[in-house]
């Protein structure tokens, strides 16, 4: 389950860096705002997938702790 969270983190951060270094003109405020919007979406994806992966791993560990006896 952790691998799903890590995979989502890599995909989200890859999306961030792809948008960040795509040859954007940072002098234009509207372009810069659009890039920041896309970057924040990538960071959101990375954080949500990490939380989902960690949550399922913690729940699975707790389940294994109580039901493996």
């Amino acid at each position: 389950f952790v691998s799903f969270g890590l995979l989502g983190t890599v995909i989200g951060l890859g999306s961030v860096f792809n948008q960040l270094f795509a040859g954007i003109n940072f002098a234009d405020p509207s372009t810069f705002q659009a890039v920041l919007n896309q970057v924040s979406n990538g960071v959101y994806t990375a954080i949500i997938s990490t939380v989902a992966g960690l949550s399922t791993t913690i729940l699975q560990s707790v389940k294994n702790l109580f039901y493996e006896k």
Side-chain angles (χ1 to χ4, degrees):
F1 292 111
V2 173
S3 60
F4 290 127
L6 293 175
L7 178 64
T9 301
V10 169
I11 290 171
L13 291 177
S15 172
V16 166
F17 290 119
N18 185 32
Q19 296 300 323
L20 191 60
F21 300 117
I24 304 297
N25 180 11
F26 289 105
D28 182 19
S30 63
T31 304
F32 188 67
Q33 185 176 11
V35 168
L36 285 180
N37 187 26
Q38 293 173 347
V39 167
S40 66
N41 288 336
V43 171
Y44 177 77
T45 301
I47 291 172
I48 292 299
S49 61
T50 301
V51 168
L54 289 174
S55 299
T56 55
T57 301
I58 290 169
L59 291 173
Q60 184 68 31
S61 298
V62 169
K63 181 192 140 268
N64 290 342
L65 181 68
F66 288 113
Y67 292 113
E68 269 190 4
K69 295 179 180 180

